[in-house]
Amino acid sequence: MKRYKRSDDISYALGITLTFELLINRPDQARRVYVHSDFERGETFDKLSSLCSANKVEIVFSDKPFNILSQKENCYVIGEFSKKYMALDKNASHIVLNNPSNAGNLGTIMRSAAGFGIVNLAIIRPAADPFDPKTVRSSMGSIFRLNIEEFDSFDEYMGKAGQRNIYPFMLKAKKKLNETEFVKPFSLVFGNEATGLDDSFLSVGTSVIIAHSDRIDSLNLPIAASIAMYEATKSSDF
Amino acid sequence: MKRYKRSDDISYALGITLTFELLINRPDQARRVYVHSDFERGETFDKLSSLCSANKVEIVFSDKPFNILSQKENCYVIGEFSKKYMALDKNASHIVLNNPSNAGNLGTIMRSAAGFGIVNLAIIRPAADPFDPKTVRSSMGSIFRLNIEEFDSFDEYMGKAGQRNIYPFMLKAKKKLNETEFVKPFSLVFGNEATGLDDSFLSVGTSVIIAHSDRIDSLNLPIAASIAMYEATKSSDF
């Protein structure tokens, strides 16, 4: 067992909460569950055991993986899983992240996307690793509820995404978010944390700005993406 | 020079961008600017020098503080500043954070607050340190554009905050965010990352929920606070 590397076929859900999300939502991807000797026997352990046995997932009792994979003190369970990309649903709305660079941000966006019911996520490379254990953690396990597909370019995405309405979010856009009507299926497109989307996106679909005061240069990426998802799904009956 | 401690009277803006925010918005709080020997002479350095001399802030050329205060590779300037709480404006709208526990989250919320023009931030103790260099960093310097005041209890806050409309954000609330009318001056109140606001807040003002699917337990705190600020300031002409 070694530290996680992006080139690995497997990754890890660190902690009991994330491991439950894995076993409940993607049992087919679960390969193995590691349990630390300090993990108390009780209801939670019983629930974990029965989920594992129902899904034929081996439980390994060993402290070693925790020393290698987890920096956190209170991590007593690790779910090892196979990474899996899934084709996006052409009829559904999408979030499209163009070159996101931060694994934590990627996870935070996944959590909001699951929250607002946009369960198809396109990632345009180069990009942070959606399966990095840090991403899994900051997604709070939402990663196991999303279809995630990577593309080499926005054009490749457009070629495969099906007929839809594109809304790139950019500071140079004219249309304000609260004056925008989102027609389904839609794609909300966001650029890199530092550089945003380049000007070529001004001529793609309807570009949108989240208006803010000039006290800041821009909103944080997961914040901007989440505000956009909130507004675009407002009519949903959650 | 030692590592930053919460009990210190001073804190640090790590990096040139944050140091500029300090010098431009709160020159009275700036005590000293450290410059690393690898920091290139040029326009940026000249701007820094003239800002420092205009505000009578000493520049110290030394690499030592960087070894102690900064883990980041690309930090060549550090602004040392006096911490300063400021009484909140009783006539303005506020953000109220009840026991926030994460310094990075606190900074992200500051950035959004500055962005949406809510420049008065109340923090109810116990809470993460608003002047932690991590908070300063994640605020992207917005901390120097806000009035920040700490209180020992929500009651103490209410006693000092002036007449206003209170909107506690909680999962048990009945009123949905997109059906809520925010009457100024308002206070948007948020609980701790893990526990939220306790039930006693259901009887305070108008409690509000940001409706989301049951795929997630809750939204991330800075995300929820930012969506609320976006919605509550929508009529503003940014």
Side-chain angles (χ1 to χ4, degrees), chain A residues 17 21 108 110-119 139 142 145 176-179 193 210-223 226-227 230-231 234-238, chain B residues 17 21 108 110-119 139 142 145 176-179 193 210-223 226-227 230-231 234-238:
Chain A
T17 311
E21 286 291 311
T108 305
M110 290 177 187
R111 180 174 169 189
S112 291
F116 292 117
I118 306 180
V119 298
S139 87
S142 294
R145 294 169 181 262
K176 289 186 181 184
L177 175 59
N178 57 338
E179 294 161 359
E193 286 87 344
I210 306 174
H212 57 70
S213 80
D214 56 10
R215 288 187 187 88
I216 62 169
D217 290 333
S218 68
L219 292 162
N220 159 293
L221 174 62
I223 300 281
S226 302
I227 290 174
Y230 160 77
E231 185 71 55
K234 227 172 192 180
S235 57
S236 306
D237 191 25
F238 293 128
Chain B
T17 310
E21 287 290 311
T108 305
M110 290 178 188
R111 180 175 170 188
S112 291
F116 291 117
I118 306 179
V119 298
S139 86
S142 294
R145 293 168 182 262
K176 290 186 180 182
L177 175 59
N178 57 338
E179 294 161 359
E193 286 86 345
I210 306 174
H212 58 70
S213 79
D214 58 8
R215 287 187 187 88
I216 62 170
D217 290 332
S218 67
L219 292 162
N220 159 293
L221 174 62
I223 299 281
S226 302
I227 290 174
Y230 160 77
E231 185 72 54
K234 228 174 191 178
S235 57
S236 305
D237 190 25
F238 293 129

Side-chain angles (χ1 to χ4, degrees), chain A residues 174-235:
Chain A
K174 293 276 178 295
K175 191 98 179 165
K176 289 186 181 184
L177 175 59
N178 57 338
E179 294 161 359
T180 306
E181 207 192 324
F182 291 89
V183 183
K184 292 182 195 172
F186 55 73
S187 292
L188 310 179
V189 187
F190 298 89
N192 170 269
E193 286 87 344
T195 55
L197 291 172
D198 68 51
D199 289 358
S200 68
F201 282 91
L202 284 167
S203 53
V204 178
T206 305
S207 58
V208 180
I209 179 168
I210 306 174
H212 57 70
S213 80
D214 56 10
R215 288 187 187 88
I216 62 169
D217 290 333
S218 68
L219 292 162
N220 159 293
L221 174 62
I223 300 281
S226 302
I227 290 174
M229 290 188 261
Y230 160 77
E231 185 71 55
T233 63
K234 227 172 192 180
S235 57

Side-chain angles (χ1 to χ4, degrees), chain B residues 113-172:
Chain B
F116 291 117
I118 306 179
V119 298
N120 289 275
L121 170 63
I123 298 173
I124 315 294
R125 287 185 284 245
D129 177 4
F131 294 109
D132 190 295
K134 264 183 271 174
T135 310
V136 177
R137 179 180 282 277
S138 72
S139 86
M140 297 288 272
S142 294
I143 189 172
F144 302 120
R145 293 168 182 262
L146 303 179
N147 299 329
I148 300 172
E149 192 173 357
E150 286 194 341
F151 302 89
D152 280 319
S153 68
F154 187 72
D155 285 347
E156 189 202 344
Y157 166 74
M158 287 297 282
K160 293 180 177 170
Q163 192 62 34
R164 58 186 47 255
N165 299 297
I166 308 288
Y167 300 89
F169 281 75
M170 31 204 321
L171 293 170
K172 284 189 183 168

Side-chain angles (χ1 to χ4, degrees), chain B residues 4-11 29 31 81-85 129 131-132:
Chain B
Y4 171 78
K5 283 200 321 291
R6 185 168 189 163
S7 53
D8 296 344
D9 293 329
I10 56 169
S11 183
Q29 283 175 250
R31 290 167 47 108
F81 66 93
S82 304
K83 298 180 187 179
K84 198 170 171 187
Y85 291 95
D129 177 4
F131 294 109
D132 190 295

Side-chain angles (χ1 to χ4, degrees), chain B:
Chain B
M1 171 159 268
K2 287 179 189 165
R3 271 165 189 271
Y4 171 78
K5 283 200 321 291
R6 185 168 189 163
S7 53
D8 296 344
D9 293 329
I10 56 169
S11 183
Y12 305 94
L14 304 178
I16 182 70
T17 310
L18 302 184
T19 301
F20 274 142
E21 287 290 311
L22 165 65
L23 292 169
I24 290 165
N25 298 296
R26 294 283 163 84
D28 54 306
Q29 283 175 250
R31 290 167 47 108
R32 203 172 278 120
V33 168
Y34 298 101
V35 172
H36 193 278
S37 56
D38 287 346
F39 188 56
E40 277 180 42
R41 300 300 179 263
E43 255 182 61
T44 308
F45 178 78
D46 294 345
K47 188 180 161 192
L48 183 67
S49 299
S50 59
L51 263 171
C52 285
S53 81
N55 294 296
K56 302 201 171 79
V57 175
E58 180 193 13
I59 296 188
V60 179
F61 296 91
S62 166
D63 292 1
K64 220 184 237 173
F66 294 83
N67 300 328
I68 299 167
L69 297 170
S70 169
Q71 271 86 44
K72 295 253 174 178
E73 294 270 311
N74 59 352
C75 176
Y76 301 120
V77 174
I78 293 177
E80 182 182 294
F81 66 93
S82 304
K83 298 180 187 179
K84 198 170 171 187
Y85 291 95
M86 293 179 186
L88 303 185
D89 179 349
K90 290 189 183 197
N91 300 311
S93 292
H94 301 166
I95 295 289
V96 182
L97 301 178
N98 196 48
N99 313 139
S101 64
N102 181 288
N105 283 348
L106 207 46
T108 305
I109 292 171
M110 290 178 188
R111 180 175 170 188
S112 291
F116 291 117
I118 306 179
V119 298
N120 289 275
L121 170 63
I123 298 173
I124 315 294
R125 287 185 284 245
D129 177 4
F131 294 109
D132 190 295
K134 264 183 271 174
T135 310
V136 177
R137 179 180 282 277
S138 72
S139 86
M140 297 288 272
S142 294
I143 189 172
F144 302 120
R145 293 168 182 262
L146 303 179
N147 299 329
I148 300 172
E149 192 173 357
E150 286 194 341
F151 302 89
D152 280 319
S153 68
F154 187 72
D155 285 347
E156 189 202 344
Y157 166 74
M158 287 297 282
K160 293 180 177 170
Q163 192 62 34
R164 58 186 47 255
N165 299 297
I166 308 288
Y167 300 89
F169 281 75
M170 31 204 321
L171 293 170
K172 284 189 183 168
K174 293 277 178 294
K175 191 99 178 166
K176 290 186 180 182
L177 175 59
N178 57 338
E179 294 161 359
T180 305
E181 207 192 325
F182 291 89
V183 183
K184 291 182 195 173
F186 55 73
S187 293
L188 310 179
V189 187
F190 299 88
N192 170 268
E193 286 86 345
T195 56
L197 291 171
D198 68 50
D199 288 359
S200 68
F201 281 91
L202 284 167
S203 53
V204 178
T206 307
S207 58
V208 180
I209 180 168
I210 306 174
H212 58 70
S213 79
D214 58 8
R215 287 187 187 88
I216 62 170
D217 290 332
S218 67
L219 292 162
N220 159 293
L221 174 62
I223 299 281
S226 302
I227 290 174
M229 290 188 260
Y230 160 77
E231 185 72 54
T233 62
K234 228 174 191 178
S235 57
S236 305
D237 190 25
F238 293 129

